[in-house]
Amino acid sequence: MPVSPSLPDTELAAALDESACLGAWTHDVSADRFSVAASLAHALDLAPEERTGVPLARVLSLIHAEDRPRIAGLLSASQEAGGPFEAEFRTWEGRRGARWLRLMGRTDIEGGHRAVRARGLAFDLTEGRLGRGSPARQAQWQANQLADHVIAMKGLVPPLGNPSLARLVDRLAVEIGFELARRLTQAAGDVRH
């Protein structure tokens, strides 16, 4: 079986620099030390010396007040149950202005009952959220985001055992499908002209 060549470290670093990936983060739960990559520290508006470890409460203080309780609850639930998670949130308007970030990670549980660490990657969603690019590109991005979210909802609703909610999500999925189809038709028409 052929082995694919690995990407040289310089190319990997360049690809990450050009992407929305802000780098890795780690939370040592027992020591309550949240450490982040330099670019994520910059996006969060952390001081350079803080990137090597601050209490989780400090990181939460940098999240927009409307998003903070939801993110704190998600991280707390992750520490109880372990496993993968992801969350999107806004930061406060620091020196660089407000940012939209996504944390994706996993919490490791030791002995089946105690969280020991969480770690993952962070992504900057600001460009898409603030509507940079052409109106058509922004609308397509929004439609794609809606599709991603309704797909996630379809997976989350069945365990709740709520048929009314399931029907609403199914109807929403159909409407979003129509919107995506309309956008694809428009895009194909624009290419032909």
Side-chain angles (χ1 to χ4, degrees), residues 23-30 33-35 56 74-87 102-110 112 114-123:
W25 58 269
T26 302
H27 182 216
D28 179 338
V29 177
S30 59
R33 303 302 292 169
F34 200 96
S35 305
L56 180 59
L74 179 132
L75 293 174
S76 177
S78 175
Q79 288 177 9
E80 289 180 24
F85 66 88
E86 67 179 88
R102 173 183 285 160
L103 287 186
M104 298 178 73
R106 176 178 198 82
T107 301
D108 297 328
I109 301 292
E110 184 177 87
R114 186 173 72 86
V116 291
R117 115 185 109 269
R119 58 184 158 196
L121 295 172
F123 299 87

Side-chain angles (χ1 to χ4, degrees), residues 60-61 63-77 87-90 92:
L60 290 172
S61 75
I63 295 174
H64 193 284
E66 292 176 5
D67 296 341
R68 191 178 309 134
R70 177 177 50 84
I71 300 305
L74 179 132
L75 293 174
S76 177
E88 293 182 14
F89 59 90
R90 295 165 290 171
W92 278 111

Side-chain angles (χ1 to χ4, degrees), residues 113-133:
H113 65 280
R114 186 173 72 86
V116 291
R117 115 185 109 269
R119 58 184 158 196
L121 295 172
F123 299 87
D124 189 341
L125 307 176
T126 307
E127 187 173 323
R129 291 293 175 111
L130 296 181
R132 296 189 181 130

